[in-house]
Amino acid sequence: MTSEPQYKRVLLKLSGEALMGEQDYGISPDVVKRVAEEIKTVVEMGSQVCLVVGAGNIFRGMTGVASGFDRTSADHMGMLATVMNSLAMQNALEQIGIDTRVQSAFPIASVCEPYIRRKAIRHMEKGRVVVFAAGTGNPFFTTDSAAALRAAEMNCDAIMKGTQVDGVYNADPKLDPNAVKYDTLSYMDVLKNDLKVMDASAISLARENNIPILVFSIHEHGNFANVLKGTGPHTKICD
Ligand code: UDP
């Protein structure tokens, strides 16, 4: 245990639902503000932070398919929804004094920067937060895969998977009072037991590139920073 961050450069992955709060749909400004404060603490601790946000709070491709949309169009809509969440995070971060750049996997020139790897690294070296929007830019993928891909490209030391609970359990802790939390898991444990942490392609990509995944609750105040210091509750997935 130490008060210094154990990881110099991290990618935070948040599902769209993490930004929804108590609402049934959309973006909760209060939650976005709170998450921005969590990120600010980590930036001020000296870690470099990049971010991938999903879009389950606005639009998921598969939901579109279920209501009759073609998969590729539905996924394009899902990716565009991640841009909305990314802009909301940028806004909240900049309101509290953290310089932030949004880079989109497909160009939306008048709204944000295009994804350029070297530029993203430079931003982080200057203490800016980089939000990677539009997932991988390809349909048939998820923002979990985008998170693992960008973490590998950015040479991140860890993927921080912010969820609603404080780690990975053997059952849903909200439904089963006897659910037990894992302190550590191997990538293969997650894949073999089909644990719902991140999708299988994201886990495989993290495994191939030897990037640990730290699963923790984004809703507990100070927890993002504490997990990076080794003092906050989490589950670590590594080999
Ligand atoms: N998406 C996509 N390609 C990507 C990332 C995302 O097509 O590389 C689309 C897909 O339709 C997905 C939606 O964007 O359902 C939102 O992403 P995701 O479901 O991963 O969001 P989360 O579950 O993390 O909120």
Side-chain angles (χ1 to χ4, degrees):
M1 289 219 256
T2 160
S3 58
E4 291 297 308
Q6 297 180 338
Y7 302 93
K8 179 76 188 131
R9 180 180 293 161
V10 295
L11 183 143
L12 174 64
K13 166 70 203 326
L14 298 176
S15 68
E17 279 166 3
L19 303 185
M20 202 161 69
E22 300 299 309
Q23 304 172 186
D24 296 330
Y25 175 84
I27 300 169
S28 157
D30 289 343
V31 175
V32 170
K33 258 188 231 163
R34 251 191 288 132
V35 172
E37 292 286 354
E38 295 292 302
I39 296 171
K40 180 180 181 170
T41 310
V42 168
V43 171
E44 288 178 345
M45 225 161 63
S47 287
Q48 297 177 9
V49 181
C50 51
L51 184 62
V52 169
V53 197
N57 57 327
I58 300 172
F59 193 88
R60 270 211 184 89
M62 291 311 284
T63 315
V65 170
S67 48
F69 288 104
D70 140 77
R71 173 76 190 259
T72 305
S73 304
D75 280 345
H76 285 154
M77 291 161 74
M79 285 187 272
L80 285 167
T82 71
V83 179
M84 294 169 67
N85 284 334
S86 300
L87 293 175
M89 282 310 309
Q90 178 183 40
N91 217 267
L93 283 160
E94 297 216 313
Q95 278 174 5
I96 56 172
I98 299 296
D99 285 340
T100 304
R101 299 290 183 271
V102 176
Q103 291 201 344
S104 169
F106 46 61
I108 320 175
S110 54
V111 175
C112 58
E113 294 181 3
Y115 171 61
I116 299 172
R117 176 178 172 271
R118 284 170 192 277
K119 205 164 170 184
I121 289 175
R122 194 76 193 108
H123 285 319
M124 283 191 281
E125 285 170 351
K126 288 182 177 168
R128 295 174 186 148
V129 169
V130 182
V131 188
F132 297 115
T136 62
N138 301 294
F140 300 93
F141 284 89
T142 64
T143 52
D144 279 349
S145 297
L149 173 66
R150 294 291 184 245
E153 288 180 283
M154 294 297 123
N155 302 318
C156 286
D157 302 311
I159 296 170
M160 308 293 296
K161 168 83 178 175
T163 64
Q164 319 293 334
V165 287
D166 64 355
V168 184
Y169 286 76
N170 64 350
D172 185 344
K174 288 187 176 150
L175 303 177
D176 182 349
N178 299 318
V180 178
K181 193 178 110 191
Y182 300 105
D183 286 334
T184 57
L185 284 167
S186 71
Y187 302 105
M188 283 314 285
D189 290 334
V190 177
L191 291 172
K192 268 193 290 194
N193 300 310
D194 196 21
L195 298 175
K196 305 288 177 217
V197 182
M198 295 177 93
D199 60 50
S201 35
I203 299 287
S204 301
L205 199 52
R207 176 171 181 249
E208 278 161 29
N209 293 287
N210 213 11
I211 308 170
I213 303 169
L214 278 68
V215 184
F216 70 104
S217 167
I218 189 66
H219 297 302
E220 270 169 57
H221 179 59
N223 211 27
F224 183 19
N226 289 339
V227 171
L228 282 183
K229 287 189 281 192
T231 58
H234 67 280
T235 298
K236 182 174 180 180
I237 300 163
C238 56
D239 262 341

